[in-house]
């Protein structure tokens, strides 16, 4: 790994830096490639479509042509995602985009969301109130260039400047009280966007909105003191990272392995600290990340069954039966790492299932 000091961070990279310095180092090194299953690629395409609509891609298109315009944008984004998947040895077995799980459902959902946004833009333009106009799309290079990024939409309302950040996955998590609340990382991202906007323009946004593909948007009030404090904390974390990499001899000394910090890390497959850490299987619920040797395989109706020998990962070492509906994913004798395998427990016995989110390295 080529460890270099970070020159800047973004609201997106702040989460990695907060969770684990090694995760941030992986993210900063372009030689480490991450692979995305179809669900993630569909999310990227949905986000790109909404972002283009928010920027005004169809602003001058009459309502009766909105559907055709959305189809054109969708096709462009899907062709991009499908193309990079089909040339990837790790991903090509997922096949053409139309066969991806929930393809039609996700497309329908994002079109509904986009049409609501188009209707809002059309009505604001007709009323000529001036509110709802998107601000400049110039990327923020705030705090002397050390904090960079841009919210999906920055607009003026009757209240003042407001921010919108689109998310294609779940935006809520269960709090200790049992109530559903917005994920802390998404709230932090809005506050960092607000701090950057203020540093760039001298104006504090008043509110931020996290808009999911399905469900209601979540609105947070922007408190300048909290936003500025978070921005300074982010910059301090970056400075601490840069200081730390000058003191170590091995990259894995940066790691902070735990279920919380590793759960959503896209680089766990490359991380030596992850594969050496003694995880407790129950912490991972019904998901496992494993290094395996394929012992046996046999064709079954509708799929293939395997016998895996687990040599490392989040389950105890040993042999496990596994099922996949996707042919050609393994060969006998193959050694591989599998990320996001479903664990189905029956008493003291656990069986594995290759699911839509599973990636094989």
């Amino acid at each position: 790994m080529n460890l270099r000091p970070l020159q800047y961070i973004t609201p997106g990279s702040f989460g990695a830096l907060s969770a684990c310095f090694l995760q941030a180092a992986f993210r900063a090194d372009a030689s480490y490639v991450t692979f995305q299953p179809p669900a993630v690629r569909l999310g990227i395409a949905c986000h790109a479509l909404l972002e283009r609509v928010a920027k005004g891609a169809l602003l001058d298109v009459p309502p009766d042509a909105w559907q055709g315009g959305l189809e054109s944008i969708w096709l462009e984004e899907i062709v991009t995602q499908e193309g990079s998947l089909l040339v990837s040895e790790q991903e090509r077995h997922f096949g053409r985009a139309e066969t991806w799980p929930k393809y039609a459902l996700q497309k329908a959902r994002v079109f509904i969301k986009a049409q609501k946004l188009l209707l809002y833009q059309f009505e604001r333009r007709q009323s000529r109130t001036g509110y709802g106009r998107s601000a400049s799309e110039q990327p923020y290079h705030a705090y002397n260039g050390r904090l960079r990024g841009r919210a999906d939409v920055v607009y003026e309302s009757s209240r003042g400047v407001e921010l919108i950040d689109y998310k294609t996955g779940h935006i809520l998590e269960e709090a200790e009280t049992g109530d559903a609340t917005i994920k802390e990382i998404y709230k932090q991202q809005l506050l960092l966007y607000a701090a950057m906007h203020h540093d760039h323009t001298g104006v504090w946004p008043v509110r931020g909105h996290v808009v999911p593909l399905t469900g209601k948007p979540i609105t947070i009030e922007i408190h300048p003191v909290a936003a500025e404090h978070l921005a300074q904390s982010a910059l301090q974390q970056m400075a601490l990272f840069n200081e730390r990499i000058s003191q170590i001899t091995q990259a894995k000394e940066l790691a902070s392995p735990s279920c919380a910090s590793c759960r959503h890390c896209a680089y766990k497959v490359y991380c030596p600290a992850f594969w050496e850490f003694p995880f407790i299987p129950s912490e991972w619920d019904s998901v496992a990340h494993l290094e395996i040797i394929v012992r046996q395989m046999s064709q079954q109706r509708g799929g293939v069954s395997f016998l895996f020998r687990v040599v490392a990962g989040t389950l105890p070492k040993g042999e496990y039966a596994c099922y996949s509906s996707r042919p050609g994913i393994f060969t006998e004798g193959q050694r591989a790492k599998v990320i996001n395998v479903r664990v189905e427990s029956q008493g003291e016995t656990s069986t594995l299932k290759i699911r839509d989110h599973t990636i094989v390295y």
Side-chain angles (χ1 to χ4, degrees):
M1 171 176 286
N2 187 11
L3 290 174
R4 293 181 178 178
L6 298 175
Q7 301 301 312
Y8 66 91
I9 58 174
T10 66
S13 64
F14 174 62
L17 193 63
S18 301
C20 172
F21 278 1
L22 184 54
Q23 185 179 150
F26 278 126
R27 183 175 177 134
D29 190 336
S31 65
Y32 287 90
V33 179
T34 60
F35 302 101
Q36 291 93 16
V40 175
R41 291 193 175 277
L42 283 173
I44 294 171
C46 289
H47 189 280
L49 181 144
L50 289 173
E51 186 175 24
R52 289 174 64 176
V53 170
K55 289 179 179 178
L58 301 178
L59 196 59
D60 296 321
V61 174
D64 60 359
W66 286 349
Q67 182 69 21
L70 292 175
E71 290 283 357
S72 179
I73 294 173
W74 176 257
L75 180 60
E76 291 176 13
E77 299 299 337
I78 283 297
V79 165
T80 298
Q81 294 302 318
E82 181 184 74
S84 59
L85 178 143
L86 291 177
V87 299
S88 166
E89 184 178 348
Q90 282 80 8
E91 300 170 275
R92 66 179 60 162
H93 59 85
F94 288 113
R96 310 294 302 192
E98 290 83 355
T99 68
W100 296 352
K102 299 183 180 179
Y103 173 87
L105 178 61
Q106 290 293 80
K107 178 182 176 182
R109 284 173 171 173
V110 77
F111 273 35
I112 291 172
K113 184 72 71 174
Q115 287 167 346
K116 289 180 179 179
L117 177 57
L118 285 167
L119 182 59
Y120 172 80
Q121 291 175 332
F122 180 77
E123 290 175 346
R124 301 307 288 183
R125 200 175 190 185
Q126 291 293 102
S127 66
R128 300 184 184 277
T129 62
Y131 298 126
R133 296 178 305 192
S134 295
S136 170
E137 295 170 3
Q138 178 182 357
Y140 299 135
H141 286 232
Y143 296 87
N144 297 317
R146 294 176 298 157
L147 193 56
R148 303 180 187 182
R150 176 183 53 79
D152 292 325
V153 180
V154 181
Y155 71 99
E156 297 175 16
S157 73
S158 58
R159 292 171 173 264
V161 174
E162 304 197 31
L163 311 172
I164 292 178
D165 200 18
Y166 291 112
K167 300 296 180 185
T168 56
H170 298 294
I171 66 171
L172 300 178
E173 61 185 356
E174 186 175 323
E176 293 182 359
T177 60
D179 298 326
T181 182
I182 185 173
K183 292 181 178 179
E184 185 64 22
I185 187 61
Y186 294 160
K187 181 179 178 180
Q188 290 176 343
Q189 288 174 2
L190 282 175
L191 291 176
L192 289 175
Y193 285 130
M196 287 190 291
H197 185 86
H198 174 261
D199 186 78
H200 188 71
T201 67
V203 176
W204 277 106
V206 294
R207 296 195 306 180
H209 313 274
V210 178
V211 180
L213 196 57
T214 57
K216 296 181 179 179
I218 301 294
T219 298
I220 69 165
E221 301 294 325
I222 302 296
H223 299 290
V225 173
E228 180 62 28
H229 176 75
L230 185 64
Q232 294 301 328
S233 295
L235 296 175
Q236 289 171 9
Q237 280 286 89
M238 183 177 73
L240 186 60
F241 172 89
N242 290 342
E243 179 183 359
R244 183 80 178 101
I245 64 172
S246 69
Q247 301 170 341
I248 63 172
T249 57
Q250 298 183 66
K252 76 174 185 178
E253 295 177 52
L254 296 172
S256 304
S258 70
C259 182
S261 62
C262 298
R263 184 183 296 275
H264 300 296
C265 177
Y267 301 94
K268 61 172 70 71
V269 68
Y270 302 115
C271 179
F274 176 84
W275 298 104
E276 295 169 4
F277 193 78
F279 290 107
I280 301 173
S282 60
E283 293 180 340
W284 295 87
D285 301 323
S286 59
V287 177
H289 313 285
L290 308 168
E291 183 174 1
I292 57 98
I293 298 173
V294 182
R295 298 275 290 171
Q296 297 176 13
M297 58 181 294
S298 59
Q299 298 292 329
Q300 286 190 350
R301 183 178 181 181
V304 186
S305 63
F306 306 93
L307 184 64
F308 286 168
R309 178 192 293 170
V310 171
V311 297
T314 60
L315 287 178
K317 296 178 181 179
E319 294 193 337
Y320 297 81
C322 180
Y323 173 80
S324 173
S325 61
R326 305 203 300 261
I329 194 170
F330 296 111
T331 57
E332 282 193 21
Q334 178 183 1
R335 189 174 186 128
K337 290 177 179 175
V338 285
I339 305 300
N340 292 323
V341 183
R342 182 174 180 81
V343 181
E344 297 179 344
S345 298
Q346 299 175 341
E348 297 182 357
T349 303
S350 294
T351 58
L352 308 177
K353 185 175 181 180
I354 304 299
R355 60 182 196 156
D356 297 339
H357 286 74
T358 303
I359 292 289
V360 179
Y361 293 79

